[in-house]
Amino acid sequence: MSQALVKTAAGWLLGLMLAVAAAIVSINLVSNSIASPQQQVRDYLSALQKGHGGEALGLLHASVPNANAAMLDGTALQTAASKITDIKLGNAESRGGNRVTVPMDYQIDGKALHSDFLLERTGTEWLFFGKWSFVPSSLPTIEVTVVNANEATLNGVPVNLPNGRNSFAVFYPGQYEASLAGKYFSAPTTSTSVTTGALPQAPLNLLTKPTDAMIKVVSDKVKEFLDTCAADATKQQKLQPDCPFYHVTNSRVVDGTIKWQITEYPKVSIDPFNGQWVVAPLNGKAKVTAREIDLFSGQVGDLSAVHDFSFTTRLDIGADTITVTPLVSF
Protein backbone atom coordinates (compact mmCIF):
# COMPACT_ATOMS: atom_id res chain seq x y z
CA MET A 1 0.00 0.00 0.00
CA SER A 2 1.40 3.33 -1.01
CA GLN A 3 2.21 6.01 1.49
CA ALA A 4 -0.41 8.31 -0.06
CA LEU A 5 -3.08 5.64 0.30
CA VAL A 6 -2.16 5.13 3.96
CA LYS A 7 -2.42 8.84 4.60
CA THR A 8 -5.82 8.94 2.88
CA ALA A 9 -7.10 6.02 4.93
CA ALA A 10 -5.81 7.57 8.12
CA GLY A 11 -7.56 10.80 7.24
CA TRP A 12 -10.82 9.00 6.62
CA LEU A 13 -10.46 7.10 9.88
CA LEU A 14 -9.76 10.27 11.81
CA GLY A 15 -12.76 11.97 10.21
CA LEU A 16 -14.96 9.00 11.08
CA MET A 17 -13.75 9.03 14.69
CA LEU A 18 -14.42 12.75 14.96
CA ALA A 19 -17.89 12.31 13.45
CA VAL A 20 -18.68 9.49 15.90
CA ALA A 21 -17.39 11.59 18.80
CA ALA A 22 -19.47 14.55 17.65
CA ALA A 23 -22.51 12.32 17.34
CA ILE A 24 -21.98 10.97 20.84
CA VAL A 25 -21.62 14.50 22.21
CA SER A 26 -24.76 15.55 20.32
CA ILE A 27 -26.68 12.58 21.65
CA ASN A 28 -25.54 13.35 25.19
CA LEU A 29 -26.48 17.02 24.79
CA VAL A 30 -29.91 16.15 23.47
CA SER A 31 -30.35 13.48 26.12
CA ASN A 32 -29.47 15.98 28.84
CA SER A 33 -31.75 18.72 27.49
CA ILE A 34 -34.66 18.01 25.16
CA ALA A 35 -35.05 14.34 26.11
CA SER A 36 -34.28 14.70 29.83
CA PRO A 37 -36.85 14.52 32.65
CA GLN A 38 -35.70 18.01 33.65
CA GLN A 39 -37.01 19.35 30.34
CA GLN A 40 -40.51 18.23 31.22
CA VAL A 41 -40.23 20.26 34.41
CA ARG A 42 -38.92 23.28 32.45
CA ASP A 43 -41.85 23.05 30.04
CA TYR A 44 -44.28 22.80 32.94
CA LEU A 45 -42.80 25.85 34.67
CA SER A 46 -42.91 27.79 31.41
CA ALA A 47 -46.62 27.02 31.03
CA LEU A 48 -47.25 28.26 34.58
CA GLN A 49 -45.36 31.50 33.95
CA LYS A 50 -47.37 32.12 30.78
CA GLY A 51 -50.65 31.47 32.57
CA HIS A 52 -51.43 28.56 30.24
CA GLY A 53 -53.31 26.33 32.65
CA GLY A 54 -54.51 23.81 30.10
CA GLU A 55 -50.96 23.18 28.88
CA ALA A 56 -49.63 22.90 32.44
CA LEU A 57 -52.41 20.50 33.40
CA GLY A 58 -51.68 18.33 30.36
CA LEU A 59 -47.97 18.16 31.13
CA LEU A 60 -48.54 17.41 34.81
CA HIS A 61 -51.13 14.71 34.02
CA ALA A 62 -53.02 15.90 37.08
CA SER A 63 -56.69 15.52 37.86
CA VAL A 64 -58.65 18.54 39.11
CA PRO A 65 -60.29 18.08 42.53
CA ASN A 66 -63.84 19.18 43.29
CA ALA A 67 -62.91 22.79 44.00
CA ASN A 68 -63.13 26.27 42.46
CA ALA A 69 -60.93 26.52 39.34
CA ALA A 70 -60.37 30.31 39.36
CA MET A 71 -56.62 29.90 40.04
CA LEU A 72 -55.91 27.48 37.20
CA ASP A 73 -55.47 29.87 34.28
CA GLY A 74 -54.66 33.39 33.15
CA THR A 75 -53.72 36.22 35.48
CA ALA A 76 -54.21 34.27 38.70
CA LEU A 77 -51.87 31.51 37.52
CA GLN A 78 -49.27 33.94 36.17
CA THR A 79 -49.30 35.81 39.47
CA ALA A 80 -48.72 32.59 41.40
CA ALA A 81 -45.71 31.67 39.23
CA SER A 82 -44.26 35.18 38.97
CA LYS A 83 -43.01 35.03 42.55
CA ILE A 84 -40.72 32.06 41.80
CA THR A 85 -37.06 33.10 41.36
CA ASP A 86 -33.55 31.60 41.37
CA ILE A 87 -34.72 28.24 40.01
CA LYS A 88 -32.15 25.42 40.16
CA LEU A 89 -33.06 21.97 38.82
CA GLY A 90 -30.99 19.11 40.20
CA ASN A 91 -30.02 15.79 38.67
CA ALA A 92 -32.72 13.18 38.35
CA GLU A 93 -32.71 10.74 41.26
CA SER A 94 -33.83 7.15 40.69
CA ARG A 95 -36.92 5.99 42.53
CA GLY A 96 -36.87 2.42 41.23
CA GLY A 97 -38.35 0.96 38.10
CA ASN A 98 -38.70 3.61 35.42
CA ARG A 99 -39.32 6.46 37.86
CA VAL A 100 -37.13 9.38 38.88
CA THR A 101 -37.48 12.47 41.04
CA VAL A 102 -36.35 15.83 39.71
CA PRO A 103 -35.50 18.14 42.65
CA MET A 104 -35.96 21.89 42.33
CA ASP A 105 -34.64 24.60 44.62
CA TYR A 106 -35.97 28.15 44.30
CA GLN A 107 -37.04 31.23 46.22
CA ILE A 108 -40.35 32.98 46.80
CA ASP A 109 -40.12 36.46 48.31
CA GLY A 110 -36.57 35.74 49.44
CA LYS A 111 -37.48 32.47 51.20
CA ALA A 112 -35.63 29.33 50.10
CA LEU A 113 -38.05 26.55 49.11
CA HIS A 114 -37.86 23.08 47.58
CA SER A 115 -40.13 20.94 45.41
CA ASP A 116 -39.78 17.44 43.98
CA PHE A 117 -41.36 16.23 40.74
CA LEU A 118 -41.97 12.54 40.12
CA LEU A 119 -41.62 11.40 36.51
CA GLU A 120 -41.51 8.06 34.72
CA ARG A 121 -39.95 6.82 31.51
CA THR A 122 -42.71 5.90 29.13
CA GLY A 123 -40.67 4.88 26.07
CA THR A 124 -38.00 6.11 23.69
CA GLU A 125 -37.78 8.64 20.88
CA TRP A 126 -35.48 8.43 17.85
CA LEU A 127 -34.21 5.05 19.14
CA PHE A 128 -31.82 6.66 21.61
CA PHE A 129 -33.69 9.13 23.80
CA GLY A 130 -35.88 8.41 26.79
CA LYS A 131 -39.43 9.70 26.76
CA TRP A 132 -40.42 11.12 30.15
CA SER A 133 -43.77 12.04 31.62
CA PHE A 134 -45.05 13.25 34.99
CA VAL A 135 -46.58 10.52 37.12
CA PRO A 136 -50.35 11.25 37.27
CA SER A 137 -51.49 12.99 40.42
CA SER A 138 -54.18 15.32 41.75
CA LEU A 139 -53.83 19.08 42.09
CA PRO A 140 -53.63 20.45 45.63
CA THR A 141 -56.26 22.80 47.04
CA ILE A 142 -56.17 25.79 49.37
CA GLU A 143 -59.07 27.01 51.48
CA VAL A 144 -59.83 30.70 51.87
CA THR A 145 -62.01 31.96 54.72
CA VAL A 146 -63.22 35.47 55.51
CA VAL A 147 -65.00 36.94 58.54
CA ASN A 148 -68.48 38.30 57.83
CA ALA A 149 -68.10 38.56 54.04
CA ASN A 150 -68.77 36.45 50.97
CA GLU A 151 -66.07 37.65 48.60
CA ALA A 152 -62.37 38.47 48.48
CA THR A 153 -59.46 38.85 46.06
CA LEU A 154 -57.15 35.90 45.43
CA ASN A 155 -54.01 36.54 43.35
CA GLY A 156 -55.59 39.70 42.00
CA VAL A 157 -58.81 37.96 40.91
CA PRO A 158 -62.19 38.58 42.64
CA VAL A 159 -63.56 35.30 44.02
CA ASN A 160 -66.77 34.28 45.73
CA LEU A 161 -66.70 32.87 49.25
CA PRO A 162 -70.20 31.50 49.97
CA ASN A 163 -70.85 31.54 53.72
CA GLY A 164 -67.38 33.01 54.19
CA ARG A 165 -65.30 30.17 52.72
CA ASN A 166 -64.32 28.35 49.55
CA SER A 167 -61.78 25.81 48.33
CA PHE A 168 -59.58 26.47 45.27
CA ALA A 169 -57.63 24.04 43.11
CA VAL A 170 -54.07 25.32 42.51
CA PHE A 171 -50.88 24.45 40.68
CA TYR A 172 -47.55 24.10 42.44
CA PRO A 173 -45.12 25.57 43.04
CA GLY A 174 -46.67 29.00 43.47
CA GLN A 175 -47.55 31.83 45.80
CA TYR A 176 -51.19 32.55 46.60
CA GLU A 177 -52.26 35.82 48.24
CA ALA A 178 -55.74 36.68 49.51
CA SER A 179 -57.04 40.06 50.64
CA LEU A 180 -60.21 42.10 51.05
CA ALA A 181 -60.28 45.79 50.19
CA GLY A 182 -63.85 47.01 50.54
CA LYS A 183 -65.04 50.52 51.25
CA TYR A 184 -66.36 49.70 54.70
CA PHE A 185 -64.62 46.43 55.56
CA SER A 186 -61.16 45.14 54.67
CA ALA A 187 -58.64 42.46 55.58
CA PRO A 188 -54.86 42.62 55.26
CA THR A 189 -53.14 40.39 52.72
CA THR A 190 -52.31 36.87 53.83
CA SER A 191 -50.30 34.46 51.70
CA THR A 192 -49.10 30.87 51.45
CA SER A 193 -46.51 29.13 49.30
CA VAL A 194 -47.67 25.85 47.75
CA THR A 195 -44.64 23.62 47.19
CA THR A 196 -46.14 20.17 46.88
CA GLY A 197 -49.15 18.35 45.56
CA ALA A 198 -49.83 16.78 48.94
CA LEU A 199 -53.10 17.74 50.62
CA PRO A 200 -54.11 19.76 52.49
CA GLN A 201 -52.33 23.08 52.14
CA ALA A 202 -52.20 25.86 54.73
CA PRO A 203 -55.49 27.82 54.68
CA LEU A 204 -55.70 31.55 54.02
CA ASN A 205 -57.78 33.13 56.79
CA LEU A 206 -58.85 36.73 56.24
CA LEU A 207 -59.48 38.65 59.45
CA THR A 208 -61.91 41.31 58.35
CA LYS A 209 -62.06 44.64 60.17
CA PRO A 210 -64.06 47.81 59.64
CA THR A 211 -62.27 50.50 57.66
CA ASP A 212 -61.70 54.05 58.86
CA ALA A 213 -64.52 55.06 56.51
CA MET A 214 -66.89 52.67 58.28
CA ILE A 215 -65.88 53.92 61.72
CA LYS A 216 -66.41 57.50 60.57
CA VAL A 217 -69.88 56.79 59.20
CA VAL A 218 -71.01 55.18 62.44
CA SER A 219 -69.28 57.83 64.58
CA ASP A 220 -70.99 60.60 62.64
CA LYS A 221 -74.37 58.97 63.12
CA VAL A 222 -73.76 58.52 66.85
CA LYS A 223 -72.62 62.14 67.17
CA GLU A 224 -75.68 63.33 65.27
CA PHE A 225 -77.96 61.35 67.60
CA LEU A 226 -76.31 62.73 70.76
CA ASP A 227 -76.21 66.33 69.52
CA THR A 228 -79.89 66.15 68.57
CA CYS A 229 -80.73 64.59 71.92
CA ALA A 230 -78.86 67.33 73.82
CA ALA A 231 -80.49 70.06 71.72
CA ASP A 232 -83.98 68.62 72.26
CA ALA A 233 -83.36 68.26 76.03
CA THR A 234 -82.32 71.90 76.16
CA LYS A 235 -85.29 73.00 74.08
CA GLN A 236 -87.71 70.99 76.19
CA GLN A 237 -85.97 72.08 79.43
CA LYS A 238 -85.66 68.53 80.74
CA LEU A 239 -83.23 67.24 83.32
CA GLN A 240 -84.30 63.68 82.54
CA PRO A 241 -84.82 63.67 78.76
CA ASP A 242 -85.32 60.64 76.49
CA CYS A 243 -81.55 60.39 76.13
CA PRO A 244 -78.71 58.22 77.49
CA PHE A 245 -77.91 61.00 80.00
CA TYR A 246 -79.93 62.62 82.83
CA HIS A 247 -79.60 64.60 86.06
CA VAL A 248 -81.34 64.15 89.41
CA THR A 249 -81.65 66.96 91.95
CA ASN A 250 -83.69 67.85 95.02
CA SER A 251 -83.58 71.52 94.16
CA ARG A 252 -86.01 73.43 91.97
CA VAL A 253 -84.53 74.47 88.64
CA VAL A 254 -85.28 77.88 87.21
CA ASP A 255 -87.26 77.56 83.99
CA GLY A 256 -85.38 78.45 80.83
CA THR A 257 -81.91 77.93 82.31
CA ILE A 258 -81.31 74.25 81.53
CA LYS A 259 -78.63 73.57 78.92
CA TRP A 260 -77.19 70.22 77.87
CA GLN A 261 -74.04 69.60 75.82
CA ILE A 262 -71.89 66.58 74.97
CA THR A 263 -68.39 67.05 76.36
CA GLU A 264 -66.97 63.67 75.33
CA TYR A 265 -68.27 61.65 72.42
CA PRO A 266 -68.06 57.84 72.45
CA LYS A 267 -65.24 56.10 70.68
CA VAL A 268 -66.77 53.68 68.19
CA SER A 269 -65.54 50.08 68.04
CA ILE A 270 -67.10 47.57 65.65
CA ASP A 271 -66.47 43.85 66.02
CA PRO A 272 -67.72 40.60 64.44
CA PHE A 273 -70.14 38.55 66.51
CA ASN A 274 -72.19 35.53 65.55
CA GLY A 275 -71.97 36.27 61.84
CA GLN A 276 -72.84 39.95 62.21
CA TRP A 277 -71.15 43.24 62.99
CA VAL A 278 -71.89 44.81 66.36
CA VAL A 279 -71.00 48.15 67.89
CA ALA A 280 -69.41 47.87 71.33
CA PRO A 281 -71.21 49.75 74.16
CA LEU A 282 -70.81 53.49 73.66
CA ASN A 283 -69.51 55.56 76.56
CA GLY A 284 -69.34 59.34 76.79
CA LYS A 285 -69.87 62.39 78.96
CA ALA A 286 -72.61 65.05 78.99
CA LYS A 287 -72.69 68.32 80.89
CA VAL A 288 -75.78 70.06 82.23
CA THR A 289 -75.88 73.65 83.47
CA ALA A 290 -78.78 75.58 85.00
CA ARG A 291 -79.87 77.92 87.78
CA GLU A 292 -81.40 76.13 90.75
CA ILE A 293 -83.15 77.13 93.98
CA ASP A 294 -82.37 75.32 97.23
CA LEU A 295 -85.75 74.27 98.66
CA PHE A 296 -84.54 74.62 102.26
CA SER A 297 -82.71 77.94 102.12
CA GLY A 298 -84.33 79.49 99.06
CA GLN A 299 -80.87 80.43 97.84
CA VAL A 300 -80.35 80.58 94.07
CA GLY A 301 -77.15 79.02 92.72
CA ASP A 302 -75.53 77.63 89.63
CA LEU A 303 -75.88 73.99 88.66
CA SER A 304 -72.99 72.47 86.69
CA ALA A 305 -72.61 68.71 86.50
CA VAL A 306 -70.89 66.27 84.14
CA HIS A 307 -72.41 62.81 83.85
CA ASP A 308 -70.98 59.63 82.38
CA PHE A 309 -73.41 57.83 80.12
CA SER A 310 -73.49 54.54 78.22
CA PHE A 311 -75.82 53.01 75.66
CA THR A 312 -75.87 50.38 72.92
CA THR A 313 -76.92 50.44 69.28
CA ARG A 314 -78.08 48.09 66.57
CA LEU A 315 -76.07 48.22 63.35
CA ASP A 316 -77.79 47.30 60.08
CA ILE A 317 -75.65 47.16 56.94
CA GLY A 318 -77.36 47.07 53.56
CA ALA A 319 -75.96 47.05 50.06
CA ASP A 320 -75.77 50.85 50.00
CA THR A 321 -76.94 51.89 53.46
CA ILE A 322 -75.69 51.85 57.04
CA THR A 323 -78.29 52.31 59.77
CA VAL A 324 -77.43 52.93 63.41
CA THR A 325 -80.34 52.53 65.83
CA PRO A 326 -79.65 53.67 69.42
CA LEU A 327 -81.03 51.33 72.08
CA VAL A 328 -81.69 53.54 75.10
CA SER A 329 -83.68 52.53 78.19
CA PHE A 330 -85.68 55.46 79.55
Side-chain angles (χ1 to χ4, degrees), residues 7-322:
K7 288 183 178 180
T8 300
W12 278 102
L13 180 59
L14 177 61
L16 179 61
M17 292 176 64
L18 290 174
V20 170
I24 292 174
V25 171
S26 297
I27 289 173
N28 285 334
L29 288 175
V30 173
S31 177
N32 290 329
S33 57
I34 299 176
S36 69
Q38 287 93 336
Q39 187 58 40
Q40 289 293 305
V41 178
R42 293 189 192 97
D43 291 342
Y44 169 67
L45 293 175
S46 176
L48 296 184
Q49 292 165 348
K50 294 175 183 177
H52 295 170
E55 179 183 351
L57 194 63
L59 287 167
L60 196 60
H61 294 297
S63 59
V64 179
N66 183 22
N68 191 293
M71 296 296 103
L72 299 184
D73 199 41
T75 299
L77 178 55
Q78 282 183 299
T79 301
S82 67
K83 301 287 186 177
I84 304 172
T85 60
D86 299 329
I87 297 173
K88 296 180 178 64
L89 292 176
N91 295 324
E93 302 170 0
S94 176
R95 288 295 178 263
N98 293 323
R99 294 186 172 185
V100 298
T101 294
V102 175
M104 183 176 109
D105 293 306
Y106 54 98
Q107 290 192 4
I108 291 181
D109 289 340
K111 182 180 180 180
L113 297 172
H114 179 88
S115 293
D116 290 311
F117 298 95
L118 185 62
L119 295 95
E120 59 186 354
R121 185 167 179 166
T122 58
T124 58
E125 292 181 319
W126 304 341
L127 301 178
F128 300 102
F129 311 124
K131 186 177 181 181
W132 296 92
S133 178
F134 285 92
V135 173
S137 60
S138 177
L139 291 180
T141 61
I142 56 174
E143 186 176 54
V144 181
T145 69
V146 63
V147 175
N148 284 5
N150 55 18
E151 61 183 4
T153 297
L154 184 58
N155 275 20
V157 176
V159 294
N160 292 322
L161 303 175
N163 298 317
R165 65 178 59 243
N166 208 345
S167 181
F168 298 85
V170 297
F171 284 105
Y172 72 95
Q175 179 86 340
Y176 295 88
E177 298 181 346
S179 62
L180 177 63
K183 180 179 180 181
Y184 294 125
F185 295 99
S186 65
T189 299
T190 181
S191 63
T192 186
S193 298
V194 180
T195 62
T196 175
L199 299 176
Q201 302 293 322
L204 294 175
N205 300 316
L206 292 173
L207 302 179
T208 315
K209 294 182 178 180
T211 62
D212 291 343
M214 180 65 176
I215 296 295
K216 185 178 186 307
V217 168
V218 176
S219 296
D220 288 347
K221 291 180 180 294
V222 169
K223 183 177 184 298
E224 180 183 8
F225 162 71
L226 291 173
D227 286 344
T228 300
C229 219
D232 288 345
T234 300
K235 183 179 179 179
Q236 297 167 7
Q237 289 294 287
K238 288 184 176 182
L239 290 178
Q240 299 180 17
D242 297 336
C243 295
F245 44 83
Y246 62 91
H247 178 76
V248 177
T249 180
N250 292 323
S251 300
R252 184 166 65 85
V253 176
V254 178
D255 290 339
T257 65
I258 298 174
K259 181 180 179 181
W260 282 97
Q261 67 178 110
I262 308 301
T263 58
E264 184 178 314
Y265 292 95
K267 183 177 180 180
V268 172
S269 176
I270 303 173
D271 301 295
F273 177 75
N274 198 26
Q276 296 180 329
W277 292 100
V278 296
V279 180
L282 299 166
N283 303 307
K285 296 179 184 294
K287 180 179 181 181
V288 60
T289 58
R291 296 282 289 171
E292 62 180 354
I293 303 172
D294 189 290
L295 297 180
F296 296 99
S297 66
Q299 184 176 358
V300 178
D302 291 326
L303 165 65
S304 180
V306 176
H307 294 284
D308 294 327
F309 64 82
S310 180
F311 67 104
T312 59
T313 62
R314 186 180 71 244
L315 181 62
D316 296 304
I317 303 172
D320 302 307
T321 60
I322 297 174

